[in-house]
Amino acid sequence: MQRVIDGKRYSTDTAKRLGIWASDQDHQGLHHEEETLYLTKTGNYFLHGCGGAASRYNKKTSTNSWIGGEQIVPISEEYARKWAQDHLTENEYDMIFGAVENTGGVRVSVQIPVEIVAKMNDRMNADDCTRSSLILAALRKYLK
């Protein structure tokens, strides 16, 4: 699925799938919902949601008549973190955003170019480390 929203293209075919959640309802049930968290190549987060006729993703077809549907919803990084915290395991969260460390440090948000994020992801996979530990190691080496 793809949509252009506020001049930005969101595509489930080209974005990186970060995590998936499904309600505990029967997959074919009226209330069933599924959401997938994505990150675009330009660093924008979005949710792709789908569900049955009684889900929040339903589509009205006529008076008192609905069918299942799907939707793309752009979200902020803050909301993506909250969604992941609420719907994914701790390990899945850490793989996406890095481990949450309570070291008394300061949380900093930085916009990183897509090509550097790709290199970071390759390095994280090769070294089996989190994004936070990779960035901290690079900063410590640079600031020595």
Side-chain angles (χ1 to χ4, degrees), residues 1-55:
M1 176 179 204
Q2 60 181 330
R3 295 278 187 268
V4 175
I5 302 170
D6 293 331
K8 296 178 183 174
R9 181 171 306 281
Y10 299 91
S11 172
T12 57
D13 294 332
T14 58
K16 181 177 181 181
R17 185 175 61 206
L18 301 175
I20 300 171
W21 167 84
S23 68
D24 58 0
Q25 301 294 321
D26 172 28
H27 184 70
Q28 299 296 323
L30 296 173
H31 296 277
H32 180 73
E33 292 183 352
E34 294 181 19
E35 293 180 331
T36 306
L37 177 63
Y38 286 92
L39 179 62
T40 67
K41 292 177 183 177
T42 56
N44 296 305
Y45 291 92
F46 70 94
L47 287 174
H48 171 257
C50 61
S55 75

Side-chain angles (χ1 to χ4, degrees), residues 70-124:
E70 64 180 324
Q71 187 176 4
I72 286 181
V73 180
I75 59 175
S76 66
E77 179 180 351
E78 181 180 336
Y79 188 87
R81 286 177 180 273
K82 174 74 171 121
W83 183 92
Q85 204 170 23
D86 292 346
H87 294 93
L88 303 178
T89 67
E90 184 177 342
N91 189 43
E92 290 170 321
Y93 181 94
D94 290 350
M95 290 300 294
I96 297 167
F97 298 107
V100 176
E101 299 176 18
N102 294 325
T103 60
V106 176
R107 180 174 296 275
V108 178
S109 294
V110 178
Q111 195 80 356
I112 300 174
V114 175
E115 65 275 4
I116 293 176
V117 171
K119 290 178 182 178
M120 287 173 54
N121 289 338
D122 290 343
R123 185 65 181 262
M124 286 165 44

